[in-house]
Structure formats: C-alpha cells, structure tokens
Amino acid sequence: MIWLASALAAPPAGDDEPTGRYMTAAEIHSRVIEQLALFGACYEHSADARARTELGDVYLVWTIRSDGRVSGARIHESKSGLPDLDACLVDAARTLRFPAHHEPEIEVGYPLVWLDATLQPFPMVYVHERPLDLLFFYLPEDPAIVDILKPKAGGEK
Amino acid sequence: MGLMLLACVPKTVLPGSGPEKLYEVSVQADFDTSGEGVDVSDYAEQQVFLRGRLLKAETREFRDGSEGHMLRFESFEQAPTAEGPWLRSELSGLSIELRVFPTGEILRVGDAAHIAGAPRHGEVFDILLPALSPMVPAVKPGKESWRRASWPFEVGYQRGWRNEVIALYANQGFEDSALGRTAHLEYAGQLSGKGSDSRMEAEVEVTGEVSGAVWMRTSDAVLLRHELDWTRTVSATYSGDVTLTQVQHFVASARLVEEP
C-alpha cells in the first residue's frame, strides 16, 4: 500500500489535462473542501462533539468510483472517542460526490480535525497510488520479485 | 528562454472538438524473461493477445505547431491465446494525450502513469504510440529514405524511457482503397533506447529490430494501416547487481476503420 500525500501545491486541474477525465489529488482535495459541511454537520449534531472545542482526529478513507460516487467509506483511525460521531462521518462520506473519471476507482484518505469548535480544512488528501514497481517489463507486481529489486535501506546490497 | 517557454503554452484548447479517427488494433506479444539475482522462472515465457479500438482525437494546438491528440483505449480485451478466452483489458476506458508534430514526431505522452505498470502495461505496449503516429519520410515510388523516430514514456521524475527507431523506408507504390489513394511503404531498421526508474534505482537499456509496412493516405498523410513486427530486448540493472532481461516481440496491426 502506498499512500502519497498531495499538497495544495499540486498543479491545478484543467489547464494541462486534455483528456480531462483523470482527477488530480488537488481536484479531489478541492471537492472535499467544497463538501466539508457534510462532515461539519455531524459535529454540530453530536451533543458530545458540540460540547467540546477540540477532538481527536478522525481519519476517513473511501473509494471514488468511476461514476464519481463513493463506496467503501470507513474509519481508518479515530481518536474522537465518540462512536456515534464516527458513524455519522462514515455516512457523510458515502454522500460525497466527485466528477466521473477514467480510473476504475481511486482510494482516498482524509483526516478530519475538530479544533476551536470548528472543522479545520486539512491541507491535503491522501491518494492511494498504484505501485508501478516493475516498469518496462511485462510482469505482474509479484512481491517476491519486487522485494528483491527494491533498493535496500542504507545502501545494503 | 522566453521563447522556449512560450512555445510550451497551449494556444488553443479544443476538448473533443477535433477530427476523430478510430483505429482497430491487434497485438500478439511474446515475452521471454530472465534474471540474474532474481528468480523469474514463473514468467520465463509469456504470450498475450490484445485487441481493441483506439480513438484518436485532436484536442488542442500548441504555439510551436505541435498538436495534442487524445488517445483513448476503447473496448480493449486480452487473451492468453489467439482463440481466447478474451477478457477486458485494464487499459480499456483509459486515455492518454500524445503531443505530436504534424510529421508524427511524438514529443510527450501525457497521463502516461495511468496506463503504466501491471496489470495495464501501457509502457510495454507503448509501441502502439509510434504505430499510430509513424514518422514516415516523403519518398517517391521505388525510392528509399531513412527516418529516425523516437518517443518518450514517462510516469514521473526520472521514471520512464525513450525508445528510438532508425529505419529505412521503401515506397512500394500507390494503391487505391475505400478510404482514399495510399502510399504503401515498407520499412526495416534498428530500435534502441534508454530509461531509468528512480524509485527502484534501475537503469534500463533497450536494443532491437523493427520491420513493417504502412499505408498513408496521399491527400492528407493520414495513417490508414500499419503492420509491424518489432522485437526489443529490455535490460534493467537494479541495486545489488540484480538484472532483469526481457525480449519483447510484437506482431501488431492498426487499421483506420472510422472517421468523420
């Protein structure tokens, strides 16, 4: 599993995308921010959450299908201590909508940060990228092969 | 410097508005793989058949005269034998952009990472790119001319390769077809290339041989048909002196089947 952070510094979608149907991490982030109120509503409607100005982060993951709808939403890690809030956030993630795109699916991770009684926009999303470890060869991503070919830590041969 | 930068700016963005061409493509590929320091005996000999349609559409023009061509893999299927069973290829439904000069020279492959790597293997089947965008010299019937063509395929910083074909083209004469009068050229030559993969700390060398035939429409230099038989030997050296070598043999054809 390779999760790569995409900072806001990533190039904006559109200008250099003639195929126009691949979503960049920056575009996914932008769409999440636009729909952040869906998650904010969970905090507003949870009495326990509303009563506190600060809560532990809730790291959500979901899959964006090629039609732009979300599936597989779940909690990857929660430090909220509020199961009802976590369940509401998962339900909210399921209602997120994204543009249709070419990839069969895109796995996304996003941390929700409740601070100063406000849901703070996190500056990036985490997109699960395909490993692409065995370029140039018609070979499967066989871990037994990839592990041998990968550079060893500390220059170990 | 300013002029160089200016040349990179797209002049016009014409999403989906350019003339579209649909090519029917079939590939028979044989892969012989060996390794030193790594056991690849499970994949020593592989064969795959690929078929589908490639939609080629002009999307934009650049100030240097180059054009953006969307290339969309439509209804691509693959099978372990010529008889099947045919299963949907992971390339199906994906698109890339070729930035090309009107001569066919490929400057850049956009969105390449989306088609690269297992199980899509777009960087291996990159031979389809020059197959659909061949650089064919202007040569009179009965005459011959050399032409060099190279194409890049990059999925990230220092992750990709560039292959090059230097071939002698011989004009076999003009032929009439349902899609117009064509010039029929046959070619044969050498393939070479270099690449790297910074993530895997790998260096790649490519050698090979190519031969084939193209039918170009004389009125507008549009490719009507391309039959090719290309072999390339890909050798990569990884850290720890581990090496992988794969002989990739392609017998492929592309044929224009539809245009506005």
Side-chain angles (χ1 to χ4, degrees):
Chain A
M1 293 283 279
I2 298 176
W3 289 84
L4 293 180
S6 168
L8 284 175
D15 288 350
D16 197 26
E17 289 187 82
T19 50
R21 300 283 299 280
Y22 293 116
M23 268 195 300
T24 62
E27 185 180 3
I28 294 170
H29 181 264
S30 165
R31 299 284 176 157
V32 171
I33 296 299
E34 285 171 13
Q35 302 175 81
L36 205 58
L38 290 170
F39 297 119
C42 289
Y43 289 86
E44 297 295 339
H45 288 100
S46 164
D48 289 330
R50 207 169 50 240
R52 296 167 61 176
T53 57
E54 187 175 338
L55 275 173
D57 298 354
V58 180
Y59 191 100
L60 283 170
V61 294
W62 63 82
T63 299
I64 306 173
R65 300 187 324 215
S66 59
D67 63 2
R69 293 177 179 271
V70 166
S71 65
R74 65 187 189 282
I75 301 287
H76 179 69
E77 184 180 16
S78 175
K79 295 177 181 169
S80 76
L82 302 173
D84 62 328
L85 172 69
D86 292 352
C88 178
L89 294 172
V90 169
D91 287 342
R94 291 190 181 114
T95 66
L96 292 169
R97 290 292 178 268
F98 296 87
H101 57 90
H102 280 170
E103 285 287 354
E105 52 186 36
I106 306 170
E107 291 180 53
V108 173
Y110 188 75
L112 296 167
V113 181
W114 181 253
L115 205 60
D116 298 331
T118 308
L119 193 54
Q120 305 291 330
F122 199 74
M124 62 185 75
V125 291
Y126 295 84
V127 176
H128 180 211
E129 297 200 340
R130 298 168 54 239
L132 302 183
D133 284 333
L134 273 176
L135 290 174
F136 319 116
F137 295 98
Y138 189 84
L139 288 172
E141 290 276 348
D142 185 334
I145 297 175
V146 172
D147 285 349
I148 290 173
L149 300 182
K150 269 188 174 167
K152 306 298 180 286
E156 176 195 339
K157 298 289 183 182
Chain B
M1 185 63 177
L3 283 174
M4 287 175 66
L5 287 173
L6 190 63
C8 297
V9 177
K11 188 174 70 177
T12 317
V13 177
L14 307 164
S17 63
E20 295 183 352
K21 293 182 171 54
L22 193 63
Y23 288 89
E24 204 165 70
V25 173
S26 71
V27 182
Q28 175 187 333
D30 292 275
F31 303 101
D32 293 344
T33 311
S34 59
E36 287 182 20
V38 59
D39 180 10
V40 288
S41 55
D42 286 350
Y43 312 104
E45 292 183 5
Q46 302 176 89
Q47 186 174 54
V48 64
F49 292 79
L50 198 63
R51 69 183 184 190
R53 293 185 163 205
L54 274 170
L55 178 68
K56 190 177 174 185
E58 278 183 38
T59 52
R60 55 180 170 168
E61 296 174 7
F62 294 84
R63 292 185 192 278
D64 62 358
S66 63
E67 300 167 347
H69 288 174
M70 185 194 74
L71 208 58
R72 182 173 164 82
F73 295 83
E74 295 197 333
S75 310
F76 257 66
E77 298 177 309
Q78 69 178 59
T81 71
E83 289 75 38
W86 290 94
L87 299 172
R88 181 182 184 275
S89 162
E90 291 281 339
L91 285 169
S92 213
L94 301 180
S95 301
I96 52 174
E97 183 199 35
L98 298 186
R99 182 175 169 187
V100 298
F101 275 124
T103 56
E105 182 181 0
I106 299 171
L107 303 174
R108 178 177 176 270
V109 181
D111 286 325
H114 291 277
I115 66 167
R120 301 174 184 178
H121 297 297
E123 84 282 19
V124 174
F125 292 106
D126 68 334
I127 57 116
L128 290 173
L129 309 182
L132 256 66
S133 189
M135 285 184 66
V136 179
V139 51
K140 292 179 179 175
K143 300 290 184 184
E144 297 178 335
S145 180
W146 287 94
R147 179 56 67 96
R148 169 187 171 278
S150 71
W151 66 98
F153 194 104
E154 294 171 351
V155 303
Y157 178 66
Q158 293 185 346
R159 303 197 74 201
W161 61 0
R162 175 178 284 274
N163 283 250
E164 176 182 278
V165 163
I166 299 176
L168 182 64
Y169 285 76
N171 190 330
Q172 305 296 310
F174 297 110
E175 300 172 6
D176 290 319
S177 79
L179 294 171
R181 186 171 165 78
T182 65
H184 169 201
L185 296 99
E186 295 188 352
Y187 66 87
Q190 304 297 314
L191 191 154
S192 61
K194 279 185 183 297
S196 65
D197 184 347
S198 56
R199 183 191 291 176
M200 300 294 282
E201 295 182 6
E203 297 294 327
V204 184
E205 296 272 350
V206 180
T207 57
E209 295 183 344
V210 301
S211 64
V214 292
W215 286 261
M216 307 294 291
R217 189 157 57 199
T218 54
S219 60
D220 55 7
V222 165
L223 174 75
L224 296 189
R225 187 176 154 203
H226 192 165
E227 308 278 344
L228 65 85
D229 186 332
W230 291 14
T231 301
R232 70 178 166 192
T233 301
V234 182
S235 301
T237 306
Y238 297 82
S239 62
D241 293 330
V242 177
T243 62
L244 262 184
T245 301
Q246 188 170 67
V247 179
Q248 305 177 340
H249 180 214
F250 304 97
V251 177
S253 71
R255 187 169 59 88
L256 180 66
V257 291
E258 203 173 293
E259 63 180 335

